[in-house]
DNA sequence: AGCACGCCGACT
DNA sequence: GTCGGCGTGCTC
């Protein structure tokens, strides 16, 4: 019997093995774990099929060590989705499967049951801890503790509190036959008895729920297009409740930064059901626990970030993707999948409805609505009678600006503070100033390893590179001419300083990656902000995603221009989404909100459209622009990237790769090779080749042969390269 | 990607 | 005489 398996390696192929010597009976099913010898190592591989014959030379064919599961660890439908994704994103199947499974399962953990722990054996129960207390006090304490929890047992972590070297003590007790490993019940949190009632739904919310409910049991993709504050989460909760009532599981995906303790508590309280959480902050053990809870059906709701799209759900009934426009759904390294796109595909294959929620949907999703692929549901009103904030543009060419804050904004801040409102200022730049500059000779503080300026961080007295992390003390004088150097531009630190001078009576709070490095710090800060301890909040992205500040009545966007003329075709879409997401923080309670957007280009047509007419007219205009210029969603992209310690190697590799591609046919254009917009990063030179195709199918046809050939190029060995299908970042 | 093999410089 | 630099080749 032959076993064709996927091994966790970057190789773009499968490997065939003979069944283990002791194997009897029928063939194992695809998705089963197989322990195999691989080179000089032992690997846990995943069975893909049991072919009748193999092309492998007989001399190389080896025997698998063991078949590890009686039933597949990956169900057939998930395995098929993953194989499809491996093909579509051109990523090696072994790594795709590895990304979809908790690492612990590749290290021999059991897919079933609860956590492993320790409990007393019969001799252990009979033993008297006091007899060993003198020579082995830790072992004695363990026996006592396990005696109290007999026969359930205790987890290793629970025993850790008893002393320093827990592991050897456990091993000694096990060797004496006093304790044994056992399986513990799952550690899901205590379920709250009764679900807390939610607010009464608005008419629009009720309509949305009814429309989606009518499609339970079949595939349909919905765009829940709800302005910020319209209560999309209430719709998700109601739908999840409906799924639970029907005995189905719900999968809720949120952006990286959106999975906050408040959101988890809200789901727990309102649904009164065990949740499985899946996010990057989990350890191997916790990840395994969540995976088990989802797979056993014990968890009825799975709440997670990107990778939760691969959660096993035996009774899947509904998928929700909140803030579907968020770019964190696209994995940026390794297996570069889009969790949002795979979620839609998963819903289609499992014949269940999927809800994509956003106040600022991606142009791709809107395009799918306009051409009838997705059904649209609107939540046009803010829940709880708050009005939409009014957005105004401040022309930076016609107003004095001190430290990045224009006079009209200063006056407006003053007004709102006097009336007791809270003010939020958004600036997508950390640090004190974007760089240090000599006005005599033009010298600029540059990173030695990147094509980037160093950012001045005054509080830590450092120049830091935000791209490679390098840091050094700032120059006191220009190294080129000896003249004085000055910080140029504004970062959040500098704004914070400026505010302290402009509004000494109003305490300000800065929230960015620099002030919230420790875990829980951001929660504490947000809580302080919500309690109104700070009158002015200054922050980056972190401040804007999903957090509510009911007392904020004025929002200032300090540097809109970065997004207006960015390097890629998505810049204006991003800017619009950022402006509206930040604006959404204003006026959530009864107070109407005001938003001021500072710009040097108040006449920019898309910005005007956004401010005067709103997101959708903006989006329609932006889509027209995309159509005219043949960018996605009116074309389909793949990006071949390469990097190496020399400038030439990536370009040579990409040039050879380009030469392997069939000539410009089938509406396919090859753009490049060209150096990346930031050519040098962390000491490596980067370049890229963009493939643009009129149709997804022709792009896939090209990639299917080409990527394999590219991988075999001798030049490929001299660079680090990767392919990104449907790239979100073009640098 | 790992990992082993292999072939040339500075140390005991 | 060996430790170890990273080029090259392989993983059923």
């Amino acid at each position: 019997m032959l076993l064709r398996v996927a091994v966790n390696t970057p190789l773009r192929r499968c490997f065939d093995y003979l069944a283990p010597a002791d194997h009897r009976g029928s063939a194992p099913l695809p998705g089963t774990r197989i322990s195999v010898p691989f080179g000089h190592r032992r690997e846990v591989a995943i069975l893909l099929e049991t072919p009748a014959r193999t092309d492998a030379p007989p001399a190389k064919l080896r025997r698998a060590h063991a078949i590890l599961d009686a039933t597949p660890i990956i169900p057939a439908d998930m395995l098929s989705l993953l194989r499809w994704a491996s093909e579509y994103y051109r990523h090696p199947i072994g790594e795709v499967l590895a990304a979809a499974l908790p690492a612990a399962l590749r290290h021999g953990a059991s897919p079933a049951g609860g956590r492993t722990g320790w409990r007393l054996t019969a001799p252990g129960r009979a033993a008297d801890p006091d007899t060993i207390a003198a020579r082995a006090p830790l072992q004695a304490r363990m026996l006592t503790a396990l005696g109290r929890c007999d026969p359930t047992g205790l987890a290793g972590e629970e025993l850790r509190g008893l002393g320093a070297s827990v592991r050897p003590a456990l091993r000694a007790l096990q060797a004496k036959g006093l304790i044994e490993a056992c399986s513990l019940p799952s550690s899901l949190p205590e379920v709250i008895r009764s679900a807390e009632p939610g607010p009464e739904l608005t008419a629009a919310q009720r309509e949305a729920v009814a429309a989606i409910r009518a499609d339970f049991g079949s595939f349909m993709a919905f765009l829940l297009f709800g302005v910020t504050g319209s209560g999309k989460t209430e719709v998700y909760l109601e739908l999840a409740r409906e799924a639970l009532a029907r005995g189905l599981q719900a999968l809720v995906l949120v952006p990286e930064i959106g999975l906050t303790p408040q959101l988890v508590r809200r789901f727990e309280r309102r649904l009164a059901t065990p949740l499985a959480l899946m996010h990057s902050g989990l350890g191997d053990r916790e990840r395994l626990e969540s995976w088990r809870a989802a797979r056993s059906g014990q968890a009825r709701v799975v709440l997670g970030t990107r990778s939760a799209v691969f959660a096993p759900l035996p009774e899947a009934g509904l998928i929700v993707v909140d803030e579907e426009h968020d770019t964190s759904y696209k994995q940026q390294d390794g297996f570069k999948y889009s969790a949002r796109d795979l979620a839609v595909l998963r819903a289609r294959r499992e014949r269940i409805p999927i809800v994509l929620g956003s106040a600022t949907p991606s142009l791709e999703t809107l395009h799918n609505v306009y051409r009838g692929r997705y059904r649209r549901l609107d939540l046009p009103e803010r829940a709880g009678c708050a009005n939409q904030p009014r957005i105004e543009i401040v022309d930076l060419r016609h107003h004095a600006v001190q430290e990045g804050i224009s006079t009209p904004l200063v006056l407006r801040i003053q007004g709102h503070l006097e009336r007791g409102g809270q003010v939020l200022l958004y600036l997508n730049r950390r640090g004190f100033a974007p760089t240090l500059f000599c006005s005599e000779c033009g010298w600029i503080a540059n990173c030695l390893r990147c094509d980037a300026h160093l950012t001045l961080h005054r509080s830590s007295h450092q120049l830091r590179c935000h791209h490679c992390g390098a840091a050094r003390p700032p120059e006191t004088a220009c190294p080129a001419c000896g003249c004085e150097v000055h910080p140029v531009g504004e970062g959040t630190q500098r704004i914070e300083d400026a505010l302290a001078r402009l509004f000494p009576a109003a305490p300000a709070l800065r929230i960015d990656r620099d002030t919230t490095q420790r875990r829980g710090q951001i929660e504490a800060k947000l809580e302080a902000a919500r309690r109104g301890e700070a009158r002015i909040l200054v922050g980056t992205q972190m401040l804007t995603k999903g957090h509510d500040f009911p007392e904020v009545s004025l929002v200032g966007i300090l540097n809109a221009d970065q997004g207006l003329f960015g390097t890629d075709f998505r810049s204006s879409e991003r800017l619009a989404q950022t402006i509206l997401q930040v604006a959404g923080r204003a006026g959530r309670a009864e107070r109407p909100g005001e938003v001021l957007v500072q710009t040097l280009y108040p006449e920019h047509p898309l910005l005007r459209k956004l401010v005067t007419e709103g997101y959708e007219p903006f989006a329609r205009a932006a889509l027209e622009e995309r159509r005219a210029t043949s960018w996605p969603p009116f074309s389909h992209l793949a990006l071949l990237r390469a990097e190496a310690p020399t400038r030439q190697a990536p370009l040579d590799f990409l040039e050879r790769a380009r030469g392997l591609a069939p000539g410009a046919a089938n509406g396919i254009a090859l753009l490049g090779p060209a150096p990346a917009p930031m050519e040098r990063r962390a000491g490596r030179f980067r370049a890229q080749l963009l493939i643009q195709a009129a149709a997804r199918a022709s792009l896939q046809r090209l990639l299917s042969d080409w990527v394999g050939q590219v991988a075999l190029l001798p030049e490929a060995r001299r660079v680090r390269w990767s392919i990104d299908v449907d790239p979100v970042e073009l640098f």
Side-chain angles (χ1 to χ4, degrees), chain A residues 224-263:
Chain A
L224 184 62
F225 193 167
V227 300
T228 43
S230 61
K232 290 186 289 293
T233 310
E234 287 302 326
V235 174
Y236 308 151
L237 285 166
E238 192 52 41
L239 289 169
R241 196 201 306 280
E242 179 71 25
L244 299 184
R246 296 183 187 210
L248 300 169
Q249 290 171 290
L251 171 63
V252 180
L253 301 183
V254 296
E256 208 99 282
I257 209 162
L259 190 50
T260 59
Q262 291 108 285
L263 184 74

Side-chain angles (χ1 to χ4, degrees), chain A residues 617-649:
Chain A
F618 157 83
R620 282 188 188 272
L623 271 171
E624 272 320 305
E625 213 175 272
R626 296 269 185 100
R627 188 197 300 276
T629 48
S630 290
W631 282 115
F634 302 97
S635 67
H636 301 275
L637 306 179
L639 194 60
L640 183 63
R641 294 191 181 90
E643 59 172 61
T646 63
R647 171 171 279 134
Q648 206 49 43

Side-chain angles (χ1 to χ4, degrees), chain A residues 451-467:
Chain A
D451 293 328
H453 300 160
L454 292 170
T455 302
L456 179 64
H457 286 251
R458 194 130 95 176
S459 55
S460 57
H461 200 65
Q462 273 182 333
L463 284 169
R464 280 216 285 263
C465 176
H466 289 182
H467 302 280

Side-chain angles (χ1 to χ4, degrees), chain A residues 349-659:
Chain A
R349 287 161 161 254
E350 303 201 9
R351 299 194 181 80
I352 59 174
I354 179 167
V355 183
L356 307 176
S358 180
T360 53
S362 63
L363 297 188
E364 281 84 352
T365 293
L366 274 176
H367 182 60
N368 279 324
V369 167
Y370 295 148
R371 61 180 179 161
R373 295 251 183 124
Y374 295 176
R375 248 179 88 189
R376 163 185 187 148
L377 300 165
D378 285 276
L379 299 180
E381 305 275 298
R382 288 192 152 196
C385 78
N387 294 313
Q388 277 292 330
R390 200 174 69 241
I391 303 179
E392 285 170 62
I393 288 183
V394 177
D395 185 346
L396 286 177
R397 293 167 309 182
H398 295 146
H399 296 285
V401 179
Q402 34 183 331
E403 315 253 24
I405 308 176
S406 65
T407 311
L409 183 54
V410 171
L411 296 173
R412 207 67 69 90
I413 293 172
Q414 203 144 32
H416 278 260
L417 290 176
E418 278 164 11
R419 273 170 276 141
Q422 211 172 20
V423 175
L424 187 156
L425 298 182
Y426 170 84
L427 176 66
N428 206 12
R429 263 195 212 136
R430 296 182 286 129
F432 182 80
T435 197
L436 207 55
F437 176 74
C438 170
S439 50
E440 286 301 312
C441 72
W443 173 88
I444 291 173
N446 281 319
C447 178
L448 298 173
R449 308 173 65 222
C450 308
D451 293 328
H453 300 160
L454 292 170
T455 302
L456 179 64
H457 286 251
R458 194 130 95 176
S459 55
S460 57
H461 200 65
Q462 273 182 333
L463 284 169
R464 280 216 285 263
C465 176
H466 289 182
H467 302 280
C468 73
R472 63 162 201 250
E475 277 80 2
T476 45
C478 174
C481 69
C483 296
E484 213 182 329
V485 288
H486 308 278
V488 180
E490 287 82 30
T492 45
Q493 272 183 26
R494 190 172 205 171
I495 299 296
E496 189 186 22
D497 284 8
L499 290 168
R501 259 173 283 124
L502 288 164
F503 308 102
L509 188 64
R510 175 160 60 94
I511 300 182
D512 56 29
R513 193 135 56 86
D514 298 322
T515 62
T516 55
Q517 266 163 2
R518 271 181 287 119
R519 271 181 101 60
Q521 218 170 354
I522 180 159
E523 289 305 318
K525 287 221 166 199
L526 293 170
E527 203 36 60
R530 252 177 246 119
R531 279 197 307 270
E533 276 169 30
R535 306 306 307 160
I536 308 177
L537 312 174
V538 187
T540 54
Q541 300 280 31
M542 201 170 264
L543 194 53
T544 68
K545 298 219 174 144
H547 306 294
D548 288 353
F549 304 103
E551 297 306 314
V552 167
S553 56
L554 173 67
V555 164
I557 293 166
L558 300 182
N559 62 336
D561 296 332
Q562 283 194 330
L564 234 30
F565 305 99
T567 43
D568 91 54
F569 65 91
R570 274 186 243 267
S571 301
S572 60
E573 177 186 355
R574 297 260 177 77
L575 173 66
Q577 288 163 347
T578 302
I579 290 179
L580 288 201
Q581 296 288 340
V582 183
R585 306 306 119 206
R588 293 210 119 189
E590 278 69 47
R591 255 177 239 279
E594 283 187 304
V595 180
L596 260 64
V597 179
Q598 299 191 152
T599 176
L600 283 166
Y601 308 92
E603 304 308 326
H604 194 285
L606 285 175
L607 182 61
R608 283 234 76 83
K609 196 108 188 155
L610 178 73
V611 169
T612 56
E613 296 175 52
Y615 186 76
E616 197 171 0
F618 157 83
R620 282 188 188 272
L623 271 171
E624 272 320 305
E625 213 175 272
R626 296 269 185 100
R627 188 197 300 276
T629 48
S630 290
W631 282 115
F634 302 97
S635 67
H636 301 275
L637 306 179
L639 194 60
L640 183 63
R641 294 191 181 90
E643 59 172 61
T646 63
R647 171 171 279 134
Q648 206 49 43
L651 293 168
D652 289 345
F653 162 71
L654 294 172
E655 197 54 64
R656 291 279 279 125
R658 188 189 161 115

Side-chain angles (χ1 to χ4, degrees), chain A residues 226-306:
Chain A
V227 300
T228 43
S230 61
K232 290 186 289 293
T233 310
E234 287 302 326
V235 174
Y236 308 151
L237 285 166
E238 192 52 41
L239 289 169
R241 196 201 306 280
E242 179 71 25
L244 299 184
R246 296 183 187 210
L248 300 169
Q249 290 171 290
L251 171 63
V252 180
L253 301 183
V254 296
E256 208 99 282
I257 209 162
L259 190 50
T260 59
Q262 291 108 285
L263 184 74
V264 175
R265 277 198 298 274
R266 190 162 166 201
F267 268 78
E268 272 170 350
R269 288 208 192 110
R270 297 286 295 286
L271 297 173
T273 187
L275 291 182
L277 297 183
M278 296 189 174
H279 57 86
S280 56
L282 297 184
D284 283 359
R285 199 77 224 166
E286 299 163 299
R287 206 177 292 272
L288 177 65
E289 276 318 307
S290 294
W291 187 89
R292 283 173 170 167
R295 180 172 123 123
S296 69
Q298 219 177 341
R300 306 311 297 169
V301 174
V302 173
L303 182 56
T305 53
R306 196 166 56 223

